[in-house]
Amino acid sequence: ATRLLKVEVYSVKVACKVASRFAHTVITSSALNKANSSQEVFFEVDLPKTAFITNFSMEIEGQTYTGEVKEKEKAKKQYQKAVSTGQTAGLVKASGRKMEKFSVSVNIAANSNVTFILTYEELLQRKLGQYEIMTQVKPKQLVQHFEVCRCLHPYTPKQHFFHHLDSSVLCLINPVHAHISFCPTMDQQRKCPGCDGTLIDGDFVIKYDVNRAETLGDIQIVNGYFVHFFAPPDLPRVPKNVVFVIDRSGSMSGNKMHQTREAMLTILNDLHEDDYFGIVTFDHHISTWKGSLTKATTGNVSEAKGFVKGIQHSGCESYVFNGNVVTHTGRNYSRGLYKQANKFTERSVSMIILLTDGMPNSGVSSTPQIQENVRDAMGGNMSLFCLGFGNDVDYSFLDVMSRQNQGLARRIYEASDATVQLQGFYEEVASPLLSEVDLHYPDNLVNSLTTSHYKQLFNGSEIVVAGRLTDNSLDNFLVEVFAKGFEEDFIVKGQASAQEWDILYPEQEYIFGDFTERLWAYLTIQQLLSKKETGTAEEKGNATAQALEMSLQYSFVTPLTSMVVTKPKTEEEQEEPLIADKLTEGMRPMDGDPHFMIELPEQEDALCFNIDDRPGTIFNLVRDQLAGVLVNGQTIGDKKVAPDGKVNTYFGRFGIVHQGLGVRLEVTTHDITVSQNGKQAKLFWSDTASLKGANLDLQVTKDRSLTVTLRDSVRFVVILHKVWKQHPYHQDYLGFYTLDSHLLSRSVHGLLGQFYHGVQFEVRDMRPGEEPEKPDATMLVKGQELTVTRGWQRDFSWDVKNGENVPCWFIHSNGNGLIDGNHTDYIMSGLFKTV
């Protein structure tokens, strides 16, 4: 969506081609600035986490500016160089979230046009017997030419979700492919006859599957590359041995525990009688329902339900997940599988399903050590599936640990449908069909093969293997699949033949000739990125280098690359840097006046507010009792009241304490005093200097910035804003930024600290404000409706000299309704006091 007042979005087109599950999507949006002055025009697109951006371009006044994919560090340098020479630079990075937001803006002259074109690609994953392709459709205004077009091959329809706009959907479907388009007229877009508002605000979803006639699967050889889709139909399920490991610590209290119990009751109902299962609960202590795996008879399941209904949180709020429960469970049950081998069929599949909302212990046991302990305990005998409940869990830690043990991780979002999310995940892994699946291809004919051994194949899923052929003229080759089935070994062999797609489908627009090569590259990079996290040190280095090389070769924006768009400056003006996805290091709040700015990466947005109080007031900014960190700030005023009568306040002094390290800093606009263990040192802003100790590093850049690094904790940056000494009113003041704020505990609070783990809000009903360039809106936050104003704040955490303008929603009245309590609740009696 392209957005802003007085900007008319007159054309939006989403064109998606899907060739053999590989989707190629192009989003084109054109807008006209109808204002009589230049305006910032925003282009925002939500795309799937699994997609790689492959191209982005802007067409402005007949000129096209195209993005270039570069190594991340080189892209950053090019961006910084463009900024220093007055050019506008666009930087796009993958964020690694489930739905990523691509966001870019550009300043457009009055009565001028801009066209944004974004391209991304992804391999659709088969889940529960179907593929899903989704496009978020949120134009936020009526659009004269609006079209979403999908071309899919092969195609067997499952479900379409078009809500009540079926008359605007055109479907052309034959037995092998489909062309589906959604082209609502202006009247069909309106909320009501004559209204200017649009009712189009949702997801355009298609769910489908493909026909599978052969046990061997679907194999395609095109232009020297092959891809093999393996999901044999009509196989009997394999019995499973499953242990459910449930976090019952205090943070799971309330709705989380209720939803977990509800989900477990449904899951127990779905167990088959030939399955074996166990239940483990944990906080600081580990408890088991029974000492060994139990057959899922009606009686045992009923007894287990009674146990589940009685699971309560323990009230141990400070618990941190240290992996011991998985190590204990893996070791005990893995041994039990051997000791009681006569009870279990040899062909059963064994797994642990872990549900936790905790963080890994970062003390004695580091996360790599926890992962190593778990892997040793599992011994390759069981797969580990991790469900991370909520936003505070260390999801990347669980993800790596799962993949190291032939499983996967899934985030469960805190919402009313969490029970459904838990049940849905279990359904994906509830019915194993094959185990130890090996797919073989001739060694002398194939190289650069993606993963071809899988621990298990679940009902409704699909195994995809791709490779490069050594002989491009190859017509066919032998394919073999070996696995363990329910009662016997699964063995299938067959010949694969090359397909000339341009001959078979000469007029089909959904075919793009290099799709097999790009699918192979996409899958290879995804697996290399996984190995970069889970392999040995040598494997990690090799995987990183190879993934980077392929990302650059195929122009994929991955976690190792960035896309830079540079628009040359004109003679008339030098624009502000355009940043599509800014470099952020956690929350980056606040600068003088005192302005508080809360950047929220989850929402790709920012909130800001002012605190108006008399000069000399001391406010608590950050307080983390568990981490022992305290930051207070004292305000100063202007030298004298300005002619307009406004009293401006700024931060002029900070007190920073780390109780555990025995560190205390006082930072003023003149100097920095550090005290530790009875010793004291002083640094001055007039000199570039550094002070390094066992627990503390200080780095002063002359008249510019102070970086405070606390061992095993956060980093703070204090910016000195120098004002002309002869200025009649203003004086020097300080800005404060927190880096690595995620290292602080969940109990962190303060005017800034309370936002370090995010805040949920919704903005609606945008309308003209008192100033044309600053619209008002209604914000729903913390159960309240607030009137907020779109504005800009200058952020100095990146460019400490010039800063950068960051758009934010301004909350009026000292942040009331956004901050907990009232701003006076944060007033302290001293710079190092907590009351």
Side-chain angles (χ1 to χ4, degrees):
T2 313
R3 59 178 174 83
L4 212 69
L5 300 178
K6 294 189 179 180
V7 172
E8 178 190 357
V9 182
Y10 59 87
S11 176
V12 172
K13 181 173 182 180
V14 180
C16 177
K17 303 176 184 179
V18 183
S20 291
R21 296 78 153 173
F22 194 62
H24 175 92
T25 302
V26 181
I27 299 177
T28 307
S29 178
S30 299
L32 169 66
N33 177 13
K34 300 176 71 175
N36 56 10
S37 60
S38 64
Q39 281 204 103
E40 198 79 5
V41 178
F42 293 81
F43 174 70
E44 294 180 349
V45 172
D46 287 296
L47 60 152
K49 173 185 175 181
T50 52
F52 288 157
I53 293 172
T54 62
N55 191 37
F56 173 69
S57 62
M58 298 182 297
E59 296 177 4
I60 304 171
E61 294 300 305
Q63 295 190 51
T64 301
Y65 306 95
T66 303
E68 182 180 4
V69 175
K70 293 197 169 190
E71 182 180 355
K72 183 161 287 186
E73 287 306 310
K74 291 183 179 178
K76 190 189 301 183
K77 290 178 181 177
Q78 180 173 338
Y79 169 80
Q80 292 167 342
K81 181 180 179 181
V83 172
S84 66
T85 57
Q87 293 176 308
T88 298
L91 191 63
V92 182
K93 302 188 303 296
S95 69
R97 299 187 183 93
K98 184 177 181 180
M99 287 297 290
E100 300 170 351
K101 185 179 290 293
F102 176 95
S103 179
V104 74
S105 65
V106 64
N107 197 279
I108 299 300
N111 300 309
S112 295
N113 296 276
V114 58
T115 296
F116 301 99
I117 305 171
L118 176 70
T119 304
Y120 62 86
E121 296 177 338
E122 63 172 323
L123 177 62
L124 303 181
Q125 298 177 355
R126 188 171 186 253
K127 293 181 180 178
L128 302 176
Q130 60 191 12
Y131 307 95
E132 177 180 303
I133 184 164
M134 180 182 77
T135 302
Q136 290 197 340
V137 184
K138 299 183 178 182
K140 300 183 180 179
Q141 61 175 271
L142 300 176
V143 179
Q144 186 175 355
H145 302 289
F146 190 96
E147 180 181 7
V148 180
C149 180
R150 301 266 181 75
C151 301
L152 305 99
H153 178 92
Y155 177 85
T156 303
K158 287 283 186 181
Q159 292 176 300
H160 313 286
F161 295 111
F162 307 132
H163 304 291
H164 56 284
L165 298 176
D166 291 340
S167 61
S168 60
V169 176
L170 173 65
C171 300
L172 301 175
I173 300 174
N174 69 26
V176 293
H177 67 263
H179 182 111
I180 301 171
S181 62
F182 171 52
C183 307
T185 64
M186 292 276 280
D187 287 339
Q188 288 173 321
Q189 297 174 43
R190 297 182 193 277
K191 285 186 176 180
C192 59
C195 295
D196 290 333
T198 177
L199 56 77
I200 299 179
D201 183 7
D203 301 329
F204 185 85
V205 180
I206 296 175
K207 296 183 179 182
Y208 74 101
D209 200 8
V210 300
N211 289 322
R212 291 176 174 81
E214 300 181 10
T215 307
L216 184 63
D218 182 11
I219 304 166
Q220 296 162 5
I221 306 173
V222 182
N223 297 338
Y225 291 82
F226 85 91
V227 59
H228 182 188
F229 301 98
F230 179 71
D234 304 323
L235 290 178
R237 64 177 299 279
V238 173
K240 64 180 179 294
N241 313 306
V242 56
V243 184
F244 301 99
V245 181
I246 301 171
D247 186 344
R248 64 168 185 225
S249 60
S251 57
M252 285 287 291
S253 64
N255 208 32
K256 283 184 185 177
M257 184 55 71
H258 171 73
Q259 291 173 320
T260 299
R261 285 194 298 265
E262 291 297 307
M264 276 300 302
L265 293 174
T266 302
I267 288 169
L268 290 172
N269 271 337
D270 292 340
L271 289 172
H272 291 258
E273 191 153 337
D274 54 359
D275 291 336
Y276 282 78
F277 73 105
I279 303 173
V280 176
T281 62
F282 69 96
D283 47 23
H284 290 288
H285 305 286
I286 299 171
S287 302
T288 58
W289 169 55
K290 290 185 181 292
S292 61
L293 289 171
T294 303
K295 190 172 174 61
T297 63
T298 302
N300 287 335
V301 168
S302 179
E303 184 182 344
K305 286 182 181 178
F307 176 80
V308 167
K309 289 177 182 178
I311 298 176
Q312 300 291 335
H313 70 88
S314 65
C316 299
E317 291 289 354
S318 61
Y319 172 76
V320 285
F321 177 74
N322 59 17
N324 288 344
V325 63
V326 182
T327 305
H328 168 88
T329 305
R331 184 177 295 116
N332 288 358
Y333 283 93
S334 184
R335 289 173 182 169
L337 290 174
Y338 289 107
K339 290 180 180 178
Q340 306 175 66
N342 59 321
K343 287 175 58 177
F344 310 117
T345 171
E346 179 188 346
R347 298 180 180 276
S348 61
V349 169
S350 301
M351 65 183 74
I352 293 175
I353 298 178
L354 165 71
L355 171 67
T356 179
D357 71 340
M359 300 286 287
N361 188 343
S362 58
V364 177
S365 298
S366 65
T367 52
Q369 186 63 53
I370 294 172
Q371 291 161 346
E372 183 179 340
N373 293 344
V374 169
R375 185 162 43 184
D376 290 344
M378 302 282 279
N381 300 314
M382 307 180 80
S383 297
L384 176 62
F385 298 92
C386 294
L387 302 178
F389 206 144
N391 298 321
D392 298 319
V393 70
D394 188 339
Y395 181 78
S396 61
F397 162 73
L398 296 178
D399 185 40
V400 170
M401 191 166 65
S402 297
R403 285 186 277 128
Q404 287 176 334
N405 293 280
Q406 297 86 44
L408 55 88
R410 184 73 53 80
R411 186 186 293 277
I412 303 299
Y413 294 89
E414 288 187 61
S416 59
D417 69 338
T419 299
V420 177
Q421 295 178 57
L422 291 166
Q423 294 168 356
F425 175 85
Y426 174 75
E427 190 177 351
E428 289 181 39
V429 300
S431 299
L433 303 179
L434 297 172
S435 62
E436 305 300 340
V437 185
D438 279 302
L439 301 99
H440 290 188
Y441 312 92
D443 291 339
N444 61 327
L445 299 177
V446 175
N447 64 20
S448 301
L449 192 67
T450 62
T451 300
S452 59
H453 173 81
Y454 288 83
K455 186 71 175 175
Q456 59 264 315
L457 172 68
F458 294 104
N459 186 39
S461 66
E462 180 178 60
I463 289 174
V464 182
V465 181
R468 185 168 53 194
L469 303 177
T470 57
D471 183 358
N472 285 354
S473 63
L474 181 69
D475 289 329
N476 57 69
F477 66 96
L478 177 67
V479 177
E480 302 172 298
V481 181
F482 303 92
K484 290 182 179 180
F486 172 46
E487 294 180 331
E488 59 185 5
D489 288 345
F490 177 92
I491 301 175
V492 61
K493 302 180 181 181
Q495 293 283 335
S497 301
Q499 297 172 321
E500 299 295 334
W501 285 74
D502 55 343
I503 296 175
L504 290 174
Y505 309 103
E507 298 179 359
Q508 301 305 330
E509 59 180 300
Y510 46 75
I511 301 303
F512 44 106
D514 62 347
F515 78 91
T516 46
E517 180 179 357
R518 295 192 66 80
L519 189 158
W520 163 79
Y522 173 97
L523 195 57
T524 300
I525 292 170
Q526 289 278 32
Q527 293 176 358
L528 287 169
L529 292 173
S530 176
K531 188 176 291 185
K532 181 177 81 73
E533 302 296 333
T534 61
T536 64
E538 183 177 357
E539 287 173 338
K540 289 179 179 179
N542 292 337
T544 300
Q546 189 178 349
L548 173 59
E549 181 182 1
M550 292 186 66
S551 298
L552 295 172
Q553 179 182 351
Y554 289 93
S555 293
F556 285 135
V557 177
T558 71
L560 302 175
T561 55
S562 296
M563 181 174 287
V564 176
V565 183
T566 303
K567 173 189 169 186
K569 65 180 180 180
T570 64
E571 293 182 1
E572 291 80 13
E573 61 177 9
Q574 293 185 355
E575 297 179 343
E576 289 288 328
L578 176 152
I579 307 171
D581 190 0
K582 299 187 297 297
L583 295 174
T584 59
E585 233 181 317
M587 305 290 179
R588 302 190 308 183
M590 196 200 106
D591 224 322
D593 218 9
H595 298 307
F596 293 77
M597 187 175 71
I598 314 299
E599 190 164 350
L600 300 166
E602 285 286 342
Q603 289 97 330
E604 291 289 339
D605 213 336
L607 308 179
C608 48
F609 59 93
N610 289 352
I611 297 292
D612 295 319
D613 212 306
R614 65 186 185 279
T617 305
I618 299 173
F619 292 101
N620 173 242
L621 306 181
V622 181
R623 185 183 182 189
D624 188 340
Q625 290 178 301
L626 291 179
V629 173
L630 174 74
V631 181
N632 290 339
Q634 185 174 30
T635 60
I636 57 174
D638 283 338
K639 298 174 183 176
K640 61 180 180 179
V641 178
D644 61 6
K646 179 175 173 55
V647 178
N648 295 301
T649 56
Y650 313 84
F651 279 111
R653 197 160 67 117
F654 292 117
I656 302 173
V657 176
H658 192 297
Q659 294 175 341
L661 302 179
V663 172
R664 175 181 289 198
L665 282 88
E666 181 178 352
V667 184
T668 72
T669 56
H670 305 289
D671 52 44
I672 302 108
T673 304
V674 56
S675 303
Q676 186 175 18
N677 300 326
K679 298 180 180 179
Q680 192 174 88
K682 183 167 286 192
L683 302 174
F684 295 91
W685 286 109
S686 55
D687 300 306
T688 293
S690 64
L691 180 65
K692 294 185 179 293
N695 298 324
L696 173 73
D697 285 352
L698 300 179
Q699 179 67 51
V700 179
T701 301
K702 180 181 177 181
D703 289 337
R704 189 69 52 81
S705 66
L706 164 68
T707 302
V708 181
T709 303
L710 301 168
R711 180 172 60 84
D712 297 330
S713 187
V714 294
R715 284 181 294 156
F716 298 120
V717 176
V718 179
I719 307 296
L720 173 64
H721 295 281
K722 298 286 286 184
V723 176
W724 177 47
K725 287 185 178 181
Q726 304 303 317
H727 196 288
Y729 311 116
H730 305 320
Q731 59 179 318
D732 295 351
Y733 64 97
L734 301 173
F736 176 82
Y737 299 85
T738 304
L739 306 182
D740 307 318
S741 57
H742 63 280
L743 295 176
L744 293 170
S745 78
R746 290 162 56 191
S747 64
V748 64
H749 209 261
L751 279 171
L752 299 178
Q754 63 187 290
F755 302 106
Y756 284 167
H757 293 290
V759 60
Q760 296 299 315
F761 69 93
E762 179 182 349
V763 175
R764 59 175 61 166
D765 186 26
M766 194 159 72
R767 52 196 180 271
E770 292 183 3
E771 301 178 49
E773 70 277 11
K774 295 182 178 181
D776 286 344
T778 300
M779 174 177 289
L780 279 64
V781 60
K782 295 185 177 180
Q784 301 188 62
E785 288 191 8
L786 308 177
T787 296
V788 295
T789 302
R790 194 61 168 172
W792 299 83
Q793 293 283 30
R794 190 161 287 277
D795 178 3
F796 292 86
S797 61
W798 189 357
D799 183 346
V800 297
K801 181 179 180 181
N802 303 308
E804 59 171 329
N805 276 333
V806 175
C808 66
W809 290 107
F810 184 83
I811 290 82
H812 302 272
S813 303
N814 294 317
N816 283 344
L818 174 66
I819 63 173
D820 293 338
N822 189 280
H823 79 279
T824 57
D825 299 335
Y826 300 84
I827 295 177
M828 300 291 109
S829 60
L831 196 62
F832 300 103
K833 300 289 187 179
T834 57
V835 291

